[in-house]
Amino acid sequence: MSVSSDYLEQEFKQPSLLKRLGWFDWLWALLTVAGTVYAHIHYVEFMDSYEVGILYGTAITLIWLGWTWKPTRQLSLVIALLSLFAIALYGSDLARGDSNFFLKYLVSSQSAIMWMSALYVMATFAYFFGMFARSDFSNRVGSALTWSATAMGFTGLMVRWRESYLISHDVGHIPVSNLYEVFILFAVITALMYLFYEGRYKSRQLGGFVLTVISAAVAFLLWYAFARGAHEIQPLVPALQSYWMKIHVPTNFIGYGGFALAAMVAVAYLLVERRPEGWLAGRLPSLEQMDDVMYKAIALGFAFFTVATVLGAMWAAEAWGGYWSWDPKETWALIVWLNYAAWLHLRLTKGWRGRPLAWWSVVGLFITLFAFLGVNMFLSGLHSYGTL
Amino acid sequence: MNDTTSPVRARRSTGAIALEFLGSMNLAITLLVVIAIASVIGTVLQQNEPYTNYVMKFGPFWFEVFKALGLFDIYGAAWFLILLGFLLISTSICVWRNTPHILRDMRHYRVDVQEKSLRSFHLKAEWDTPCDRSDTAARAAALLSARGYRVRQRAQDEHVTVAAMQGAVGRLGYILSHASIVVICLGGLIDGNPPLKWQELRGEVRAETRDIPAGEVPAESTLSTDNLSFRGSISIPEGGTSSVVFLQLRDGYLVQELPFTIELEQFRVEHYPTGMPKSFESDLVIHDDDLKEPLRQTIKVNHPLIYKGYSIYQSSFGDGGSSLSMRAWSLDLPHQEPLELNSNVNRFLRLTTTRGERTLEFTDFKLYNIFPLDENDTSGKKFRNYGPSIVFKVRNPAGEALEYVNYMLPVELEGRPFFMSGMRATPSEEYRYLYLPADAAGTPQRFMALLAAAHDVKRVRSTIETQLGDMVGTDAASKEVRSTMIESITRLVALFVEQGIDGVVKHAEASVPAEQRQEAINSYVNVLQGVLGALYVDMLRSEGVDVAQGVSDADSQFFDDALNTLSMLGAYGSPFYLQLSAFEHIEASGLQIARSPGKDIVYLGCAMLMVGIFMMFYMHQRRVWIYLTPRDGGTNVLFAGSGHRNRMEFEREFHALQAELEQAVPRRAAAD
Ligand code: HEM
């Protein structure tokens, strides 16, 4: 019996992940490793052992991501090529940003971000048109635009990183240090999360809704750049010169992105739920599926928000001398966290579904928005960056 | 979760009911929401400010109400801590009640499941296969274990049950994450220092509100080194030492003793070109009898020093008592001999001035003052350094003070150098600036000389006499007119130098009818210009300037500027102008010192929380059963499943499994 069961099990075994990989997957891994080793050899003198660890950790993450979520390979390649192109064009002279054609109109960080903005707005229209006209073609255009916008957004951030070092070595820093930069981060992370679910559920119908919140972020970004000149790269105040910033901020924005995604799906949910037979109902995914996306997005957001808050506490312990100071930003993070903890409990233990939770996620977005923006605008505290 | 709710019992004790309530989901969710809302208050209302600020903001009545509610230190208020306590109890009870059952559930395969209950499952499928029972069971078990399930089989009577389960460890996530809340709260509680709170409640420890040296603070406001946890701050000047820190407590402070002495050897600030601080760091020396030799270490923001469980952080910087040499130029006297003064930041001087006793309190010194060149310039690229400045207050015997900021170096405005001095009555105002023209040597000397001349009544009178010259006849009546004119012009000049243009305007308002007032003021100004101009030319002559060919453009520009300044002097409010002539910059480093023995416990809790939450979300426990009954020479297959979480995903998995099972143990062809 046991012999035959081993034998049988062999028969049912599925090929493992490694065996299922195609030549492009291996090429992808090879490229990533080659790039990483190149970076290691050339820049090892600028890195401490943590940073070398992070470098290889990033490579492994990228390979794994490319294998399990295939489109990220193309995305990463495009971002890498555009960024390298821009860096090569710059050389060591920041002024080329104004004189070189490609930099000026395509890949300097500011141009890339403008492209990102335009593409996201176009994607929003394409998705909505696709929904109204039931045009799959238009939806596919929306998808393509969203991928391109995301590529431009990431390129903009990468190039901005380089530009900050071109200004002067001591000004250089990762571009997640002020409100302008994190808005870009918010747009690209939310878009990526949406694209993930789009692929997962093979449904492009929610695109318009999610891209609406991204377009709103883009509108703010443009206003902030043109009215306030916020796109200028500023040096870091001492409190921000910390390794923790690099991981705390992006982690936080995975959280914010998840909450924003959930809220926009909730809006779609509420619209359909109000008129189950209405014409929107036929154009959007089933209520059950939207409810599921909403839960998944909040779960993911909550998990990362938890990590981000813990990282924030550890950073605070190092920068301010206490892991928890009831500083307004900290406190609002706690408020957001408690709010979604209550949401999750209602769903998971009390079996709530549907309308009340959808409303709650919409309200949750406003609470999140206050934690993200309102605190900087209206309250004063130790979080010194990004006052409006 | 229907499997965790306790079965309804017929009779229950009060304790059981209380326990049920405390561990209930409704209470938990209510607490989460209520704590979230309560936390908002503390972010809207600035916490732990001096009480006087609150009185000013809310008025005495609401101040008392808010104080009673603890709103000024909400996160330390009893009712807030009680809320947190309830959350702690609720979570503990929840974990305690659910853990045994979850642990059991993780190990149980439930092979004894009843056919009837499988049939009631939402996810199920049933078909007949020609394969025999044990073959079917073996193939099904092999398939499931190839898909990552752990499998148990049981044969009973003629039935075989294959029970399989996957992802059970995910259930530990619940225990980890919820226990972590308890752990974090405990760590936080230790750092919250309950013994100290208790002593405070009993009045054994009281906040000191007076501004006195640490050594004079009474014992009831001093904490010994036994105190386990605190967070306080201290400012140490370069070359100075400290073995205490100050803990802020409501409207006062406590003195915390340290078991070692911290010496600040040197402090350094670096700035970006924009004037923004780029880094600040302190070279510290720790003196401790337990150390063979003093411990030297440099700390900076984000890079603290941890010694004996005390963490020492760089938090701010300020002036550590820079020594200042100054010249006080009287603004009232007819002769000009500046008074040399020496003092330090954070010290004060008492002076007897032309306007009575004044206390001079030096509050700050800045080596650099970097401002945007153009206020409308948003690019943030063009900056200008205005050089060193001092801030001081001039207090009169009634206790009223005006605050001044004086820049040491003349500042170029429209190409000409001026000494800048800002004045304000309260910290909430913007400074109003006085611009004092600097002479060719870069000193206020020439302006002060003019001012002194204008105060010299004899000189003013003789100048006026010369100017009037023969304009008036020599008869007695004319003489009378003449001397009245001289008197009134002299008074006008005195009025102008004492009260500035405001005084002149006021005088006009009091003595001239409205319709002629503007004209009168214009003629006053003309007269003043004439008299002071003559004084100025006199002064130039005595300086050795050749004025035979007329006054040079530069000198006449200087006079216009000086006249402007004179007209503003009335509102300046100080009997003297203080010129900073030399300084020795002594910086002070603002350190934060914390001792938090609960920190590691909190971190442990955080780790548990993060791991637990990811386990809860991404490792789902799911079970499937295959219930086999012999039928018509073959076997009837009943396949059912349940997922603990994530219904849609499990549904997909279930259907995929079903399809594979139907291949492994195929349906009997319909024709059979
Ligand atoms: C600060 C306090 C709390 C936080 C942050 C928290 C967090 C969470 C989260 C995020 C989940 C979702 C898990 C999932 O998706 O599987 C959860 C589940 C749950 N929570 Fe809490 N919780 C807290 C307090 C409580 C309290 C006080 C109770 C008890 C009344 C409780 C009982 C439960 C139960 C029974 C589950 C379902 C566990 C399962 O089925 O695996 N929680 N909790």
Side-chain angles (χ1 to χ4, degrees):
Chain A
M1 177 77 193
S2 77
V3 174
S4 85
S5 104
D6 277 352
Y7 165 76
L8 278 172
E9 215 174 291
Q10 217 47 45
E11 178 189 330
F12 291 123
K13 266 267 183 286
Q14 276 169 337
S16 65
L17 175 67
L18 288 184
K19 294 224 184 73
R20 275 180 282 141
L21 297 172
W23 65 270
F24 190 49
D25 293 309
W26 288 112
L27 180 68
W28 165 244
L30 201 67
L31 266 175
T32 312
V33 171
T36 309
V37 171
Y38 177 87
H40 184 182
I41 292 170
H42 272 256
Y43 302 111
V44 68
E45 72 225 67
F46 301 110
M47 295 191 282
D48 59 27
S49 51
Y50 288 108
E51 286 162 325
V52 173
I54 287 168
L55 179 67
Y56 282 96
T58 310
I60 291 167
T61 311
L62 271 181
I63 293 174
W64 177 79
L65 200 63
W67 284 355
T68 51
W69 183 19
K70 307 276 180 186
T72 53
R73 291 169 311 187
Q74 284 93 322
L75 179 72
S76 313
L77 278 178
V78 169
I79 295 168
L81 289 176
L82 283 175
S83 310
L84 289 174
F85 180 54
I87 290 169
L89 288 178
Y90 266 124
S92 55
D93 180 10
L94 190 59
R96 289 211 193 121
D98 290 326
S99 57
N100 182 287
F101 175 82
F102 287 110
L103 284 178
K104 192 164 173 188
Y105 296 107
L106 189 65
V107 287
S108 72
S109 75
Q110 203 43 30
S111 312
I113 287 158
M114 288 301 128
W115 276 107
M116 173 199 86
S117 305
L119 289 167
Y120 274 138
V121 174
M122 281 153 62
T124 313
F125 285 111
Y127 273 127
F128 270 127
F129 182 79
M131 189 180 83
F132 286 118
R134 288 179 187 279
S135 155
D136 187 46
F137 173 74
S138 183
N139 275 335
R140 287 215 307 274
V141 170
S143 250
L145 287 170
T146 309
W147 279 107
S148 322
T150 307
M152 286 318 264
F154 271 111
T155 305
L157 286 175
M158 300 290 262
V159 177
R160 190 176 167 91
W161 198 343
R162 174 67 186 160
E163 285 170 1
S164 70
Y165 277 91
L166 287 178
I167 291 178
S168 128
H169 187 74
D170 58 10
V171 170
H173 60 270
I174 185 172
V176 292
S177 71
N178 62 29
L179 218 45
Y180 180 76
E181 293 164 343
V182 297
F183 255 91
I184 304 168
L185 195 66
F186 171 78
V188 291
I189 285 180
T190 311
L192 264 187
M193 290 172 112
Y194 163 72
L195 289 169
F196 177 77
Y197 288 114
E198 181 180 281
R200 189 71 182 275
Y201 290 85
K202 310 218 169 4
S203 142
R204 299 198 159 93
Q205 294 147 308
L206 287 170
F209 286 90
V210 181
L211 268 282
T212 301
V213 74
I214 297 178
S215 291
V218 162
F220 175 85
L221 197 67
L222 294 178
W223 169 80
Y224 202 35
F226 290 120
R228 298 293 183 83
H231 59 285
E232 295 287 340
I233 297 174
Q234 300 287 353
L236 290 183
V237 297
L240 294 183
Q241 296 164 11
S242 163
Y243 224 98
W244 293 107
M245 182 183 78
K246 299 182 193 179
I247 46 181
H248 169 64
V249 179
T251 316
N252 237 323
F253 277 81
I254 298 178
Y256 289 150
F259 298 150
L261 180 63
M264 295 319 285
V265 174
V267 170
Y269 183 99
L270 288 169
L271 288 176
V272 173
E273 201 249 12
R274 218 166 50 125
R275 292 238 182 80
E277 304 302 320
W279 70 272
L280 246 185
R283 290 171 158 81
L284 286 173
S286 71
L287 285 177
E288 199 186 6
Q289 183 178 326
M290 290 197 280
D291 189 70
D292 194 50
V293 174
M294 199 160 79
Y295 161 67
K296 293 252 170 63
I298 286 188
L300 182 73
F302 185 80
F304 276 88
F305 199 75
T306 307
V307 175
T309 309
V310 170
L311 291 173
M314 296 174 92
W315 183 9
E318 199 170 291
W320 302 333
Y323 50 83
W324 195 263
S325 320
W326 294 104
D327 159 79
K329 192 92 180 171
E330 258 173 17
T331 310
W332 272 93
L334 178 72
I335 292 165
V336 168
W337 191 74
L338 292 173
N339 174 55
Y340 285 107
W343 192 98
L344 286 164
H345 278 97
L346 283 173
R347 196 190 143 101
L348 294 168
T349 63
K350 310 255 359 159
W352 284 29
R353 286 287 184 286
R355 196 214 302 244
L357 285 188
W359 272 113
W360 195 320
S361 358
V362 174
V363 173
L365 179 62
F366 284 98
I367 299 176
T368 309
L369 196 67
F370 193 85
F372 167 16
L373 261 186
V375 173
N376 297 18
M377 281 161 67
F378 303 118
L379 308 175
S380 62
L382 295 166
H383 271 79
S384 48
Y385 73 91
T387 44
L388 209 57
Chain B
M1 279 317 296
N2 43 12
D3 44 13
T4 55
T5 48
S6 46
V8 182
R9 267 162 265 142
R11 241 182 296 124
R12 298 183 311 168
S13 65
T14 335
I17 296 174
L19 215 61
E20 172 92 20
F21 167 73
L22 285 173
S24 76
M25 204 62 230
N26 288 349
L27 177 69
I29 295 174
T30 312
L31 282 171
L32 294 179
V33 174
V34 169
I35 292 172
I37 294 171
S39 307
V40 175
I41 304 172
T43 66
V44 176
L45 190 65
Q46 288 247 349
Q47 299 285 292
N48 290 312
E49 282 194 43
Y51 277 12
T52 46
N53 290 13
Y54 293 124
V55 179
M56 278 209 288
K57 219 183 278 175
F58 303 114
F61 175 73
W62 289 112
F63 168 76
E64 287 301 333
V65 173
F66 288 177
K67 194 171 102 176
L69 289 174
L71 296 194
F72 303 136
D73 180 21
I74 198 164
Y75 309 114
W79 61 268
F80 191 81
L81 295 179
I82 288 171
L83 276 180
L84 287 182
F86 267 106
L87 185 65
L88 186 65
I89 293 171
S90 167
T91 317
S92 314
I93 293 177
C94 197
V95 174
W96 176 65
R97 247 193 351 211
N98 283 330
T99 301
H101 140 91
I102 287 180
L103 292 177
R104 215 176 316 120
D105 200 39
M106 282 170 61
R107 276 179 278 128
H108 255 232
Y109 284 79
R110 302 209 192 139
V111 278
D112 52 356
V113 67
Q114 298 292 311
E115 180 179 1
K116 211 167 64 212
S117 63
L118 289 182
R119 286 193 192 283
S120 70
F121 272 45
H122 164 67
L123 286 175
K124 59 178 181 292
E126 190 170 2
W127 67 91
D128 281 353
T129 174
C131 310
D132 81 14
R133 214 178 37 177
S134 65
D135 190 31
T136 307
R139 295 183 77 84
L143 174 70
L144 288 173
S145 68
R147 294 296 165 269
Y149 280 83
R150 288 183 295 148
V151 185
R152 288 288 182 280
Q153 295 189 32
R154 188 165 84 158
Q156 196 180 31
D157 308 335
E158 79 274 32
H159 305 290
V160 175
T161 316
V162 179
M165 160 165 88
Q166 178 166 187
V169 269
R171 298 299 295 282
L172 284 180
Y174 165 82
I175 302 173
L176 272 179
S177 63
H178 288 71
S180 78
I181 305 288
V182 180
V183 173
I184 291 173
C185 288
L186 281 180
L189 192 68
I190 293 174
D191 286 344
N193 207 341
L196 179 64
K197 291 256 152 54
W198 176 242
Q199 286 177 317
E200 210 190 304
L201 215 62
R202 308 211 340 192
E204 289 164 13
V205 166
R206 272 222 319 262
E208 175 60 68
T209 51
R210 293 164 299 167
D211 194 6
I212 51 177
E216 293 169 26
V217 170
E220 59 181 10
S221 304
T222 307
L223 303 176
S224 76
T225 52
D226 296 336
N227 185 22
L228 259 189
S229 95
F230 62 84
R231 187 167 153 203
S233 53
I234 180 82
S235 171
I236 308 179
E238 284 177 314
T241 62
S242 177
S243 50
V244 298
V245 281
F246 297 97
L247 319 185
Q248 194 203 1
L249 181 68
R250 273 184 272 287
D251 56 342
Y253 62 90
L254 299 175
V255 173
Q256 167 73 53
E257 290 167 351
L258 299 174
F260 50 84
T261 302
I262 306 172
E263 180 189 347
L264 176 68
E265 273 196 332
Q266 208 193 11
F267 175 78
R268 288 178 298 277
V269 201
E270 278 180 68
H271 290 90
Y272 291 110
T274 60
M276 220 167 80
K278 176 165 130 190
S279 79
F280 32 111
E281 51 187 51
S282 302
D283 296 337
L284 299 185
V285 188
I286 306 290
H287 300 276
D288 185 347
D289 294 340
D290 295 350
L291 287 171
K292 276 207 204 77
E293 55 187 88
L295 172 72
R296 283 166 199 280
Q297 184 153 338
T298 301
I299 62 167
K300 55 182 186 175
V301 183
N302 280 315
H303 298 273
L305 160 66
I306 294 165
Y307 175 69
K308 278 191 170 174
Y310 294 79
S311 316
I312 305 171
Y313 303 86
Q314 178 74 67
S315 75
S316 62
F317 59 92
D319 197 279
S322 295
S323 74
L324 310 168
S325 305
M326 293 151 294
R327 268 181 218 121
W329 302 81
S330 170
L331 299 178
D332 295 333
L333 291 174
H335 53 83
Q336 200 44 274
E337 200 49 56
L339 182 67
E340 298 285 344
L341 297 176
N342 289 303
S343 188
N344 296 76
V345 173
N346 300 330
R347 298 265 178 81
F348 60 87
L349 289 176
R350 287 218 175 77
L351 296 179
T352 308
T353 73
T354 46
R355 300 181 205 173
E357 296 284 336
R358 289 289 187 275
T359 315
L360 227 72
E361 305 166 6
F362 299 95
T363 53
D364 201 8
F365 169 82
K366 282 212 186 75
L367 190 55
Y368 303 110
N369 286 281
I370 299 173
F371 300 115
L373 200 52
D374 174 2
E375 278 175 17
N376 303 320
D377 175 40
T378 51
S379 77
K381 273 187 184 148
K382 296 177 190 67
F383 294 92
R384 172 161 163 188
N385 183 0
Y386 285 74
S389 68
I390 48 172
V391 180
F392 57 95
K393 285 183 178 159
V394 179
R395 200 178 288 282
N396 67 17
E400 299 153 339
L402 294 174
E403 189 176 15
Y404 295 85
V405 54
N406 283 11
Y407 291 81
M408 181 181 192
L409 305 172
V411 176
E412 294 267 315
L413 286 174
E414 296 168 17
R416 308 188 299 281
F418 292 89
F419 289 100
M420 236 165 73
S421 172
M423 187 277 283
R424 64 182 175 188
T426 63
S428 56
E429 288 170 44
E430 295 275 334
Y431 282 111
R432 277 165 294 152
Y433 285 95
L434 183 76
Y435 297 94
L436 231 130
D439 56 25
T443 70
Q445 169 72 40
R446 187 191 247 186
F447 172 82
M448 292 299 170
L450 178 63
L451 179 62
H455 274 298
D456 188 339
V457 182
K458 255 197 238 148
R459 216 162 137 186
V460 171
R461 189 175 283 127
S462 78
T463 309
I464 298 170
E465 266 170 22
T466 324
Q467 278 199 314
L468 287 179
D470 306 326
M471 273 165 60
V472 202
T474 47
D475 54 291
S478 304
K479 262 193 183 148
E480 184 68 36
V481 171
R482 183 184 169 96
S483 72
T484 323
M485 272 179 89
I486 290 175
E487 271 323 298
S488 65
I489 294 177
T490 312
R491 251 184 283 126
L492 181 65
V493 172
L495 187 67
F496 180 67
V497 293
E498 272 157 32
Q499 295 176 28
I501 193 72
D502 292 348
V504 176
V505 171
K506 266 200 210 103
H507 172 69
E509 278 167 359
S511 56
V512 184
E515 58 272 22
Q516 293 158 22
R517 206 170 284 156
Q518 193 53 46
E519 207 180 315
I521 291 174
N522 287 348
S523 68
Y524 287 161
V525 170
N526 277 337
V527 171
L528 283 168
Q529 246 168 341
V531 178
L532 293 170
L535 276 176
Y536 179 64
V537 174
D538 251 9
M539 206 181 81
L540 289 184
R541 245 185 238 116
S542 63
E543 274 181 28
V545 180
D546 178 15
V547 288
Q549 310 299 323
V551 179
S552 74
D553 283 350
D555 285 339
S556 102
Q557 181 70 59
F558 185 94
F559 175 69
D560 290 347
D561 291 336
L563 204 61
N564 252 331
T565 311
L566 284 174
S567 70
M568 307 305 293
L569 220 45
Y572 188 61
S574 165
F576 50 82
Y577 166 74
L578 204 59
Q579 182 202 1
L580 179 64
S581 51
F583 61 83
E584 189 197 339
H585 191 196
I586 299 170
E587 284 172 297
S589 178
L591 303 179
Q592 265 211 358
I593 301 180
R595 190 177 188 195
S596 55
K599 187 160 103 175
D600 291 336
I601 300 176
V602 170
Y603 284 0
L604 173 72
C606 287
M608 286 166 61
L609 179 65
M610 292 190 290
V611 173
I613 282 182
F614 273 91
M615 280 172 79
M616 266 200 293
F617 288 148
Y618 296 106
M619 300 168 90
H620 315 120
Q621 185 179 28
R622 44 213 195 270
R623 303 169 175 279
V624 292
W625 290 269
I626 295 163
Y627 191 79
L628 303 170
T629 319
R631 178 173 299 173
D632 304 340
T635 310
N636 172 264
V637 182
L638 174 59
F639 178 47
S642 85
H644 178 250
R645 182 82 24 89
N646 234 328
R647 214 174 58 213
M648 280 189 90
E649 207 140 284
F650 181 65
E651 220 170 291
R652 226 174 295 145
E653 182 181 347
F654 182 82
H655 291 311
L657 271 178
Q658 184 192 337
E660 285 192 292
L661 260 178
E662 286 190 40
Q663 289 220 317
V665 282
R667 265 173 203 272
R668 200 197 299 263
D672 279 355

